[in-house]
Amino acid sequence: MKKLVYFFTIVFLITAVSCDNFEEINTDPNKTNAVTPAMLATQTLKDSYRFWNPNPSDFTSGNLFNKHITMMETNPNPGQYFYSYYPYGSFGAFTRLTDLNFMVQFAAGSQYETAYEGLAKFLKAWYGYNMTLDMGDIPYSEAGMATEGITRPKYDKQADVFAYILADLQEAESLFAQAVNFDGDIMYGGKVAKWQKLCNAMQLKVIQTISKKATADQKARFAAIISSGNLMSSNDDSFMLQFSENPNATYPMWNGEERRNYTGVSELTVNSLKNFNDRRLFYFAEPAAAEITAGKAASDYSAYVGAPTELAAEQLALNNAAGKYSKLNKRYVEFRDGDPMLYFSYAEQCFIIAEAIEEGWVSGNAQIYYENGVKAQLQYYMNMPHTADFVHGMAIDQAYIDGYFTGNAAYATGGSKTDRLQQIWTQRWLIDFFQGNGGNYQLFLRTGYPVYPLDPTTSLNPEDPTKYPKRWMYPTDEQTKNPINYQQAIDEQYNGFDGINQTPWWLQ
């Protein structure tokens, strides 16, 4: 489950610019050493999208909740067994709204004003989307208004929060449509056309996330956005964080061989890829040592054995020592400029639309969107550097992609709607393999698929080991910083109990 907004490790001249020390720097835009809107944009994007603690140990832990990988140590990691070392959400990202307000203020009257206004709107919506999924009702309409005297913001109902988020995304899209390319953007290089497409795609994701509660107007808006055609059209439009050879912008898993030796690819991942005869298996994993010893080739699908995420830690460690499982591919620790962190890909957009077609929200050919999404993700790995010597003789090439849709990978046109939706959801889930971006645990909560293994005898869910957590608790400091609004929020939503198994509005 996405827990905190993650951060990107990159050092710029503006590292000192933050909410905590803003008063210590020159904020007069008329002075030559003033903070500029571009500097604040860079800092805020860095703080928003880098991994929260970029080291191999924490990066692997941050990938556990979505069941792509398995830790194989004697000490059980709570993230693998449906809990967390710190089971609380965070409102910390909203502290960045101060910097965003200054960014817009400093851009006033310039040709870039509209672009920075769009960025500020988008980021507030991004923060709010993740926070409300983490916790439920949150302060949104009054967030970032401390300078106006609102230090104890009200908690908005979750339905209202989603409405505010969609309104901000729509406004951001309109602003970017009128804007010129701007400076300080580490994600898209300041290209407003790409931000505009992202704002539209993000609205689709938000509306589908609340599919159980989406109104007729919201579904109509979903259809209108698709009809407009101004959406991502290829992997070039994907929203991702690139790493580099710069020591301050290093892939979090780089040089993590010791950690890799205890990191297995999950049984759920391995079996899903085998089911599709999907060569991403050879990009993600190493063959199990015991299978190689038994004479199997590294290019043989059967040489790959996934580690069950629900198995007791002690048994996993013993089986790992015996070479029974496939470990994480060695390429993940070899390169400073490792796999980019995908936050919203063109492939995911395709799967969102394919699901909507199957559900009757929009007309179209779901098979085309399904196949385009899969092709895009396969091409993403085909074109990724640093893979040539790490794919065990099973490289993805165009001929393989062209022949992919056979057997269980072929769209189930002759099956049931459920069969087809499960194909879409599985492929969407695979996008986030070892991405460290928080993933789509909420996709599982909404759809129940792919089925995440849960064994009550190993589950660390303290409230009920037979259940999957649906949320994180509110930050503990809310009980002192904003006690009245905090108490009202848990009373009205969860009958006074701020628990991880409580069901928020969007899942009811």
Side-chain angles (χ1 to χ4, degrees), residues 5 7 54 98 150 340 373 376 473 496:
V5 179
F7 307 93
T98 301
I150 300 177
M473 294 180 282

Side-chain angles (χ1 to χ4, degrees), residues 96-152:
R96 300 182 196 118
L97 296 180
T98 301
D99 282 355
L100 291 173
N101 290 339
F102 277 114
M103 177 185 73
V104 173
Q105 175 186 328
F106 294 169
S110 75
Q111 63 179 324
Y112 306 111
E113 178 179 4
T114 307
Y116 289 118
E117 287 178 348
L119 181 62
K121 289 285 184 181
F122 174 86
L123 286 173
K124 182 178 180 181
W126 181 277
Y127 302 151
Y129 174 74
N130 290 298
M131 287 179 193
T132 194
L133 290 177
D134 278 357
M135 293 172 278
D137 294 357
I138 61 167
Y140 191 90
S141 60
E142 295 182 351
M145 300 179 69
T147 58
E148 300 173 39
I150 300 177
T151 57
R152 292 185 173 181

Side-chain angles (χ1 to χ4, degrees), residues 428-447:
R428 186 172 171 186
W429 171 73
L430 286 169
I431 293 172
D432 293 312
F433 179 81
F434 209 59
Q435 285 296 314
N437 61 7
N440 270 320
Y441 183 72
Q442 287 82 16
L443 176 66
F444 162 71
L445 290 178
R446 180 174 67 86
T447 67

Side-chain angles (χ1 to χ4, degrees), residues 469-480:
K470 297 182 180 69
R471 60 180 293 274
W472 294 122
M473 294 180 282
Y474 288 109
T476 57
D477 61 1
E478 282 293 281
Q479 298 175 43
T480 55

Side-chain angles (χ1 to χ4, degrees), residues 55-92:
N55 65 68
S57 179
D58 287 333
F59 190 68
T60 49
S61 292
N63 279 278
L64 290 172
F65 233 86
N66 285 300
K67 308 306 165 197
H68 290 121
I69 62 169
T70 306
M71 295 312 301
M72 303 181 296
E73 299 176 291
T74 55
N75 182 35
N77 188 307
Q80 184 163 306
Y81 300 99
F82 295 105
Y83 200 46
S84 172
Y85 287 114
Y86 190 78
Y88 300 95
S90 172
F91 294 135

